[in-house]
Amino acid sequence: EIDPPASTGNLVNKAIYGSDSRQEHSAMPPEWTSIGDAVAMIYDTQSNRVFDSQGVFQYEQSLRDKHGDCDGTPLRFSDQPTPGRCTATLIAPNKVATAGHCFKPHLCGRLAFAFGATT
């Protein structure tokens, strides 16, 4: 196991460096939305009910509810629902790539992928 770097007392966790140029999926040009369509949300089928029996998105918790604000500053998109735990990218008709921390052995049978969860 790797030890985290020693704190200098003024480190700040930040996910985006420079200007934040993220946009809503629906605001992107078609050549970018097709790439976005290949991204799946990974969700836990045994935690909160994410889709009803008709496949309609049913989730109330927002990003702000889940993680709060960043040092008192509201996060962009913080009012949007956040049912997923990670994302994955379609790399073949039946394969996705994701970060290693997204899967734990005890969760493999509980995790599912949802494509098209953009609104």
Side-chain angles (χ1 to χ4, degrees):
E1 201 165 294
I2 299 172
D3 292 329
S7 174
T8 62
N10 61 358
L11 293 177
V12 175
N13 291 330
K14 190 173 181 182
I16 297 173
Y17 298 91
S19 64
D20 184 352
S21 61
R22 293 176 294 168
Q23 295 182 30
E24 292 287 351
H25 182 268
S26 60
M28 299 300 292
E31 60 271 15
W32 286 104
T33 57
S34 63
I35 293 170
D37 291 341
V39 175
M41 171 182 67
I42 302 172
Y43 66 97
D44 187 337
T45 60
Q46 292 182 16
S47 65
N48 296 312
R49 183 89 175 134
V50 177
F51 299 98
D52 68 14
S53 62
Q54 302 299 312
V56 176
F57 182 71
Q58 300 290 318
Y59 198 80
E60 300 287 324
Q61 190 178 32
S62 70
L63 180 63
R64 181 178 292 121
D65 296 337
K66 193 171 185 177
H67 296 290
D69 290 331
C70 183
D71 297 328
T73 304
L75 299 169
R76 284 188 69 198
F77 311 110
S78 64
D79 59 333
Q80 296 182 357
T82 59
R85 53 182 291 116
C86 278
T87 58
T89 302
L90 189 65
I91 59 170
N94 63 347
K95 293 184 177 151
V96 295
T98 190
H101 69 266
C102 294
F103 281 86
K104 306 279 189 263
H106 68 282
L107 294 177
C108 286
R110 294 173 36 175
L111 298 180
F113 301 90
F115 288 89
T118 60
T119 58

